[in-house]
Amino acid sequence: MAKDTKERILEAALELFSQKGYEGTNIRELAASLGLVKSGIYKHYESKEEIWNALLDRMIAYYGERFGSAEHLPPIPDSPEEFIAITMRMADLTIHDDRIVKTRKVLTLEQFRDDRARDLATKHFLTGLTEMFTSVFAGMMDKGLIRRSDPAMLAFAYSTPVSALIHLCDREPEKTEEAEARIEAFSRHFLSVYGVKNDI
């Protein structure tokens, strides 16, 4: 039961932090959103800062398990179409998974206030994607699916526009369908430029 309450507190904190930011959310408001009093929160967490750090820990684990990380790399595709399918599955998850969307909003808001949020924003919005796709592209080169080149530079060139389109979905949700179509079109264009065969 205590574990369930702790999880509920983190869910509510994610909701409020994604809307109002860390500074804009107080413990009384967090407690009220759960039908608790402040002491009910402090029974599980000593401070708002402890809630914040527990929430970041949870975000890291959730994102890594579902989207990918250095420890959970996506598979190396066996064909260009499989590469596009992997990209679209990753994009679909990060655009439509409510917890990941809220996490991205929290990191966007808090990256200027909190060093840990800043580091996670850099990782999730830039360096983590580049590292994952560096591994994918190196594997695709080994399989003869794309031309030999610097896989890290290809990963940077590939992941940056995809990340920008994902952020567009956060800012302008009405453009989500268009953004997803552009991600797929960009994936095909990228493979038409760097792929060994031009049949994409």
Side-chain angles (χ1 to χ4, degrees), residues 129-131 133-135 137-138 141 149-159:
L129 282 172
T130 301
E131 287 170 9
F133 278 104
T134 296
S135 173
F137 288 138
M141 288 174 200
S149 186
D150 179 346
M153 192 55 67
L154 282 184
F156 178 74
Y158 185 72
S159 61

Side-chain angles (χ1 to χ4, degrees), residues 39 44 108 126 129 156 173 189:
S39 61
H44 300 281
T108 299
L126 181 62
L129 282 172
F156 178 74
H189 169 74

Side-chain angles (χ1 to χ4, degrees), residues 59-75 86-97 100 104 123-133 136 158-159 162-163 166 183:
M59 290 173 179
I60 292 166
Y62 186 87
Y63 193 84
E65 288 166 11
R66 286 158 181 81
F67 184 79
S69 66
E71 297 77 29
H72 298 93
L73 291 170
I86 288 168
T87 294
M88 296 313 295
R89 277 197 302 272
M90 292 170 79
D92 182 71
L93 175 71
T94 195
I95 290 168
H96 297 288
D97 184 292
I100 290 176
R104 197 163 47 246
K123 179 178 179 181
H124 290 300
F125 303 161
L126 181 62
T127 59
L129 282 172
T130 301
E131 287 170 9
M132 279 192 288
F133 278 104
V136 169
Y158 185 72
S159 61
V162 172
S163 182
I166 288 167
I183 290 170

Side-chain angles (χ1 to χ4, degrees), residues 33-194:
S33 75
L34 292 162
L36 300 172
V37 294
K38 281 174 65 174
S39 61
I41 299 285
Y42 290 127
K43 183 177 174 183
H44 300 281
Y45 294 99
E46 291 181 6
S47 65
K48 188 166 78 165
E49 186 69 19
E50 187 180 2
I51 294 170
W52 170 249
N53 283 308
L55 182 59
L56 292 182
D57 291 342
R58 185 174 182 245
M59 290 173 179
I60 292 166
Y62 186 87
Y63 193 84
E65 288 166 11
R66 286 158 181 81
F67 184 79
S69 66
E71 297 77 29
H72 298 93
L73 291 170
I76 306 302
D78 291 318
S79 69
E81 284 299 330
E82 188 179 339
F83 171 75
I84 292 166
I86 288 168
T87 294
M88 296 313 295
R89 277 197 302 272
M90 292 170 79
D92 182 71
L93 175 71
T94 195
I95 290 168
H96 297 288
D97 184 292
D98 191 51
R99 192 178 288 175
I100 290 176
V101 171
K102 288 174 184 172
T103 295
R104 197 163 47 246
K105 289 179 180 178
V106 167
L107 294 179
T108 299
L109 288 169
E110 298 303 322
Q111 63 186 321
F112 304 106
R113 179 196 67 82
D114 181 87
D115 288 346
R116 193 170 176 210
R118 178 202 61 203
D119 294 344
L120 286 173
T122 298
K123 179 178 179 181
H124 290 300
F125 303 161
L126 181 62
T127 59
L129 282 172
T130 301
E131 287 170 9
M132 279 192 288
F133 278 104
T134 296
S135 173
V136 169
F137 288 138
M140 290 176 74
M141 288 174 200
D142 291 342
K143 290 183 177 183
L145 295 173
I146 57 174
R147 292 187 280 116
R148 286 274 169 201
S149 186
D150 179 346
M153 192 55 67
L154 282 184
F156 178 74
Y158 185 72
S159 61
T160 302
V162 172
S163 182
L165 287 165
I166 288 167
H167 282 278
L168 175 65
C169 297
D170 292 339
R171 288 191 304 275
E172 301 181 59
E174 69 278 7
K175 293 186 177 175
T176 295
E177 191 174 327
E178 174 191 345
E180 289 175 312
R182 289 178 71 189
I183 290 170
E184 182 173 353
F186 173 69
S187 298
R188 292 185 182 282
H189 169 74
F190 187 89
L191 290 177
S192 76
V193 173
Y194 294 103

